[in-house]
Amino acid sequence: MGIEVGSILDGKVTGITKFGAFVSLPGNRSGLVHISEIAYSYVNDVHDLLSEGQEVKVKVIGIDDNNRINLSIKQALPPPPRPERRPGGSNSGFRPEGDRRPASNRRSGPSRGFVPEPSQPRGPASFEDQLKQFMASSDSKLSELHMNEKRGNRRGGRK
């Protein structure tokens, strides 16, 4: 059986480096599984997932001009199921760990001191009314940012 791109083979891990693992293949050949091709998730240390002597199933993903064989363990396996998407956006339910506030009350970014005004009753508003409301909110935020910058410069000394 020849080794060609797309083949799925059984091999044995013969060596581990910080950038991947060497795998012996049939026909007295060997190839490299780069760290990025070991698992679908982030791999910090190859030793966390592989050990020397371990039997693995690999897919041949490339053979370069020097006949070096590039392998993938993750492509030889079915991909993991994708997380279910919720209506309303991909991060609508995201909360930093320890944050117990509802997502609508959470603030982030440089203007943490800003407290939004209670929302006005919703109803048909003219473009001019919406523009006035936006300009007032924007001016308030800019003013607060400017005041925070001035306070920070006095405390931190001159640079």
Side-chain angles (χ1 to χ4, degrees):
M1 170 159 117
I3 295 177
E4 55 191 45
V5 175
S7 301
I8 295 182
L9 309 166
D10 290 318
K12 185 182 277 192
V13 177
T14 58
I16 295 178
T17 67
K18 64 182 178 182
F19 55 84
F22 290 95
V23 175
S24 68
L25 301 170
N28 210 19
R29 307 270 318 259
S30 67
L32 173 70
V33 179
H34 188 265
I35 190 169
S36 64
E37 291 294 330
I38 292 175
Y40 282 100
S41 59
Y42 176 76
V43 177
N44 186 45
D45 185 359
V46 178
H47 290 94
D48 292 343
L49 297 173
L50 298 175
S51 58
E52 287 191 33
Q54 180 178 349
E55 299 278 336
V56 292
K57 189 170 289 290
V58 293
K59 180 177 182 178
V60 179
I61 58 173
I63 301 174
D64 69 11
D65 294 336
N66 296 324
N67 281 329
R68 292 182 294 198
I69 302 170
N70 298 315
L71 304 170
S72 174
I73 293 173
K74 72 181 183 182
Q75 291 184 37
L77 303 171
R82 297 190 77 178
E84 195 173 306
R85 297 191 90 184
R86 293 185 188 148
S90 61
N91 65 349
S92 60
F94 173 76
R95 287 194 180 142
E97 197 167 322
D99 191 347
R100 302 279 185 247
R101 293 174 289 166
S104 60
N105 292 345
R106 219 175 316 125
R107 294 182 306 271
S108 63
S111 60
R112 284 193 176 267
F114 174 73
V115 178
E117 296 177 14
S119 61
Q120 301 297 323
R122 294 187 184 202
S126 69
F127 174 75
E128 288 78 18
D129 291 338
Q130 291 177 355
L131 183 59
K132 285 179 189 174
Q133 192 176 17
F134 170 78
M135 293 299 290
S137 174
S138 179
D139 287 343
S140 173
K141 290 176 185 177
L142 285 172
S143 175
E144 183 167 337
L145 283 172
H146 183 69
M147 291 303 292
N148 286 340
E149 280 182 23
K150 282 187 172 184
R151 285 188 207 127
N153 287 343
R154 276 191 234 140
R155 288 184 188 147
R158 303 211 184 258
K159 293 184 179 178

